[in-house]
Amino acid sequence: MENLGKLLLRISVAGLMLPHGIHKLMHGIGGVKYMLGQSGMPQFLAYGVYLGEIVAPLLMILGLYTRVSGLLIAFTMFVATAAAHAHEIFSFTKYGGLVVELNALYLFAALAVALIGPGKFRLGNQRGFWKE
């Protein structure tokens, strides 16, 4: 059951992240560049969205380089939160949830995947800390 849980977590994190990347692939990353510029970060970081929201989720779903993929997604969410919600990190919605709770959920779930690895349900028979 542990391996099924790992598969479910991988598919959940990556499967929900991937449409965000596809949207940016179809409509561009101008909004991301703008947010990064407004927060004082270099705009070239916007191109990392393609790694963190398309490449990493695809690899995570397949179970290839899952730990690295988890770290890429987590970093993407860290930068996105810093760029878009830096002033709201400890703010609450009118319903009592954190404003950044979805960002935090993606970030920490991706970190969990990076820590626990892909499990047995993956492509290839990879070994080593970063692959297993």
Side-chain angles (χ1 to χ4, degrees):
M1 296 306 268
E2 178 183 327
N3 288 301
L4 189 57
K6 289 178 179 183
L7 175 65
L8 181 60
L9 182 60
R10 280 188 4 240
I11 290 173
S12 298
V13 171
L16 292 170
M17 180 62 73
L18 189 57
H20 293 275
I22 292 170
H23 181 270
K24 289 174 182 81
L25 189 62
M26 294 173 61
H27 301 286
I29 56 172
V32 177
K33 284 182 177 180
Y34 176 78
M35 278 191 292
L36 289 170
Q38 290 293 94
S39 63
M41 294 184 206
Q43 290 186 344
F44 75 86
L45 289 177
Y47 293 99
V49 162
Y50 296 127
L51 282 176
E53 294 186 8
I54 296 174
V55 176
L58 288 172
L59 290 173
M60 185 179 282
I61 288 169
L62 297 173
L64 297 171
Y65 301 99
T66 307
R67 293 179 188 269
V68 174
S69 298
L71 292 176
L72 280 171
I73 292 171
F75 181 74
T76 300
M77 292 312 302
F78 177 80
V79 172
T81 303
H85 302 286
H87 61 286
E88 301 175 309
I89 290 178
F90 299 108
S91 299
F92 292 90
T93 67
K94 65 180 179 178
Y95 302 107
L98 284 172
V99 170
V100 296
E101 70 184 18
L102 186 57
N103 297 53
L105 185 60
Y106 275 119
L107 191 154
F108 291 114
L111 280 178
V113 171
L115 291 171
I116 64 176
K120 290 184 180 181
F121 302 120
R122 65 182 189 269
L123 286 184
N125 187 17
Q126 305 164 45
R127 297 283 179 232
F129 175 78
W130 288 106
K131 299 174 188 170
E132 173 96 16

